[in-house]
Structure formats: C-alpha cells, structure tokens
Amino acid sequence: MNNHFRHSFVASLYTLLCAVLIFACASTLFAQEDVKAGVNDLKAVYIFNFIRFTDWPLRTGLKRGSDVKLLVLGDRDILSTMQSIAEKKAAREIGLSVESCATDSCISAASALFIGSGERDDYPRLLDLVAGHPVLTISDIPGFAAHGGMIEIRYDNKKLTFVVNLQAVNRSGLYISAQLLQLGEIIGRDHE
C-alpha cells in the first residue's frame, strides 16, 4: 500500500505540476496577446491624433483633419482598430474614413497612409508613389522616418514614441501642429 500511495501521490503531484505549467504558459501567451492588442490600440490612437493635428494644403480642399481618407496597408489589426475609431463621434466630426486597398490610384488618392510591417519590403515603392502629394505617411517599420517616411511609431522599453521627418512633411505641403511636434523626436530639420 505504501508504494501504491507513494505512486499515487507522485502521479497527483506530476498532474498538478503539469496543470500549473500549462496555466503559466497559457497566461504568458494571453498576456503577450493582451500587450500586443494594447500596443495596437495605442498605435491607432496615435495615428488618429497625427491626423487630427495635421493641416493639408488648401488646394486639396481639406481643412485640419476634415474628410480624411486613411488607408491602412500591411496590418489587419490596425485596420480593424482604426475602423472602430472611425465610428466614434470625434472621428465622425472630422470625416475620417478608413479602408484598405492595394491599387496605385487608390493609394495616391489617400489623405493619410499607414504602412504596416506586412509591407516592409514594399514601403519604399509606396513612399515613391505618394511623393509630392499631400499624403501623411505613417508606419511602425523601424527606420521608416530616416528613409523618407513622415512619422515613425516606435515601441521601445514598453513605451510608444514617435519620430517625425520634418523634411518629408514639408516636401508634401502638409503642416503638423507644433503641439504634436513637441511630443516626438524630430529629424530632418532645415539645419540638419
């Protein structure tokens, strides 16, 4: 009986240990998914505020953030979150519409373009496509601003920050509010 009891105890302990490990792994996995979802929600809020604090040239007919067509490429999570934001009162007040399309004419007709990591290999072509047009370009691809994009969202040390390439913004004829610029890192100033 003693051996049977010991064997049963070890088996129960082993089962309990396995259950704890499975729970711990699952908790870590869900926590990572929650963090990713939380980061994507914050990125979407950043994108919305970038649009709100940008002025388009008068020739486009857009006032500050009015009737803005945002295209989201290469990131379904951001697309979904931005579509949810577009349904909110603040977004409706500025006429924000959000979609995804891959045709060149659709992309160059956008007011703002978010290029997700799924377009990492194609983003230089996309930037060339909208060059010279008043299209606010935003991405979370590392090096995006340094390579001609306007706003790069960074996630460093559990904190979201952003970099604005002022030369790229100025070349497009857009104006980003000084209030927003004070919150991010600026590259591409005239004296740089």
Side-chain angles (χ1 to χ4, degrees):
M1 268 252 207
N2 204 3
N3 277 342
H4 184 272
F5 176 74
R6 190 178 321 174
H7 178 69
S8 181
F9 176 76
V10 170
S12 296
L13 186 60
Y14 179 74
T15 303
L16 179 63
L17 182 61
C18 287
V20 167
L21 286 174
I22 289 170
F23 178 74
C25 290
S27 295
T28 302
L29 180 63
F30 290 132
Q32 289 171 347
E33 288 300 315
D34 287 346
V35 167
K36 182 180 177 191
V39 170
N40 283 336
D41 290 343
L42 286 174
K43 285 180 185 179
V45 170
Y46 271 49
I47 294 165
F48 177 68
N49 283 310
F50 296 151
I51 291 167
R52 283 186 51 223
F53 288 97
T54 297
D55 286 325
W56 277 260
L58 291 176
R59 69 181 180 274
T60 65
L62 289 173
K63 291 181 241 150
R64 173 176 285 189
S66 67
D67 300 322
V68 175
K69 178 181 175 182
L70 169 65
L71 291 181
V72 178
L73 303 176
D75 193 319
R76 290 178 191 229
D77 293 334
I78 294 291
L79 174 64
S80 176
T81 305
M82 287 306 304
Q83 287 172 331
S84 294
I85 287 175
E87 295 172 1
K88 306 292 184 203
K89 182 181 178 187
R92 287 194 318 266
E93 287 175 354
I94 64 170
L96 178 65
S97 65
V98 179
E99 59 185 77
S100 181
C101 71
T103 66
D104 288 359
S105 61
C106 180
I107 292 167
S108 59
S111 309
L113 175 63
F114 177 80
I115 304 170
S117 60
E119 296 291 332
R120 181 181 313 271
D121 295 336
D122 199 31
Y123 87 84
R125 183 190 72 81
L126 295 169
L127 289 177
D128 286 344
L129 188 62
V130 298
H133 298 279
V135 178
L136 179 65
T137 57
I138 307 163
S139 182
D140 57 0
I141 298 171
F144 181 76
H147 291 99
M150 294 180 199
I151 303 176
E152 176 185 334
I153 301 171
R154 292 182 177 168
Y155 183 65
D156 293 322
N157 298 321
K158 299 181 182 180
K159 182 179 174 187
L160 275 182
T161 61
F162 63 95
V163 178
V164 177
N165 182 330
L166 213 48
Q167 284 181 341
V169 172
N170 292 337
R171 276 194 304 266
S172 70
L174 297 175
Y175 172 80
I176 295 178
S177 165
Q179 293 170 315
L180 181 66
L181 293 176
Q182 290 175 355
L183 301 174
E185 178 186 338
I186 307 299
I187 63 170
R189 294 184 195 265
D190 288 335
H191 62 276
E192 290 180 348

